[in-house]
């Protein structure tokens, strides 16, 4: 009888042990690392409205497309600068576009020639003029490998 009980216990252990080991190993799998991007927007001229930001991970749609981008958000203007954080970004290259959204439509309003009628900004603060045109992703992108803070200067007209 003791041998029968021992044999049954051995069978149960033989069944449970691999299951318990796999459960223990599954909890040690590391999640893919993510980073936090903090964007500080400086030089805001208006004290009403909101600053809307969009984070892009590629040139697709950068910087004007409202449907592209990996994260976006708006923050109420409370002074001449605002700060917005984006969480859970995978390491890689990113660019940020910013709009001083005075009329609440969540986009950069432009005249019939395409010239911005609201404040705007782009990461790396490239020159934006009639000659340079709309900035390209490669001019505005930056590497994001760890938690990072960038500063963007608002523009209220094209550069000379």
């Amino acid at each position: 009888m003791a041998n029968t009980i021992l044999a049954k216990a051995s069978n149960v252990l033989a069944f449970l042990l691999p299951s318990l080991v796999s459960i223990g190993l599954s909890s040690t799998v590391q999640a893919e690392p993510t980073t936090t991007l903090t964007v500080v927007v400086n030089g805001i001229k208006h004290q009403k409205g909101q600053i809307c930001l969009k984070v892009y991970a590629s040139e697709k749609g950068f910087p004007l497309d409202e449907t592209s981008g990996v994260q976006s958000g708006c923050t109420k203007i409370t002074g001449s600068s605002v700060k917005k954080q984006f969480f859970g970004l995978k390491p890689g290259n990113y660019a940020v576009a910013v709009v001083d959204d005075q009329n609440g439509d969540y986009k950069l309003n432009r005249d019939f020639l395409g010239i911005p009628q609201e404040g705007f900004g782009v990461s790396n603060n490239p020159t934006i003029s009639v000659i340079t045109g709309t900035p390209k992703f490669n001019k505005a992108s930056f590497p994001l490998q760890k938690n990072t803070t960038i500063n963007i200067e608002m523009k209220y007209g094209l550069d000379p």
Side-chain angles (χ1 to χ4, degrees):
M1 175 133 168
N3 284 340
T4 306
I5 294 173
L6 190 57
K8 286 183 181 182
S10 178
N11 287 341
V12 169
L13 280 176
F15 174 75
L16 285 179
L17 191 58
S19 299
L20 292 173
V21 168
S22 68
I23 290 170
L25 289 177
S26 67
S27 66
T28 62
V29 173
Q30 295 294 319
E32 187 171 345
T34 61
T35 61
T36 298
L37 172 63
T38 303
V39 181
V40 179
V41 180
N42 298 305
I44 300 168
K45 290 186 177 179
H46 304 285
Q47 298 305 303
K48 61 179 180 150
Q50 61 188 355
I51 298 295
C52 293
L53 305 92
K54 186 165 293 224
V55 179
Y56 294 83
S58 72
E59 62 193 27
K60 183 179 183 238
F62 178 80
L64 299 171
D65 185 60
E66 288 107 38
T67 60
S68 297
V70 294
Q71 288 190 30
S72 62
C74 298
T75 186
K76 185 172 175 31
I77 296 173
T78 57
S80 62
S81 69
V82 298
K83 179 168 67 170
K84 176 85 175 149
Q85 290 187 305
F86 297 95
F87 301 97
L89 295 169
K90 295 176 184 174
N93 287 330
Y94 293 90
V96 180
V98 180
V99 174
D100 182 348
D101 184 25
Q102 290 295 298
N103 62 359
D105 66 355
Y106 301 98
K107 64 182 181 178
L108 179 63
N109 297 121
R110 297 176 285 165
D111 67 15
F112 69 96
L113 295 174
I115 296 173
Q117 295 181 307
E118 294 178 300
F120 60 93
V122 176
S123 50
N124 290 342
N125 301 302
T127 298
I128 302 172
S129 69
V130 173
I131 295 169
T132 63
T134 303
K136 303 291 183 214
F137 180 82
N138 64 352
K139 290 280 189 191
S141 66
F142 55 91
L144 184 66
Q145 302 301 325
K146 59 182 181 169
N147 295 347
T148 301
T149 299
I150 64 167
N151 289 284
I152 297 177
E153 292 296 322
M154 290 299 297
K155 296 177 184 273
Y156 290 91
L158 297 178
D159 293 321

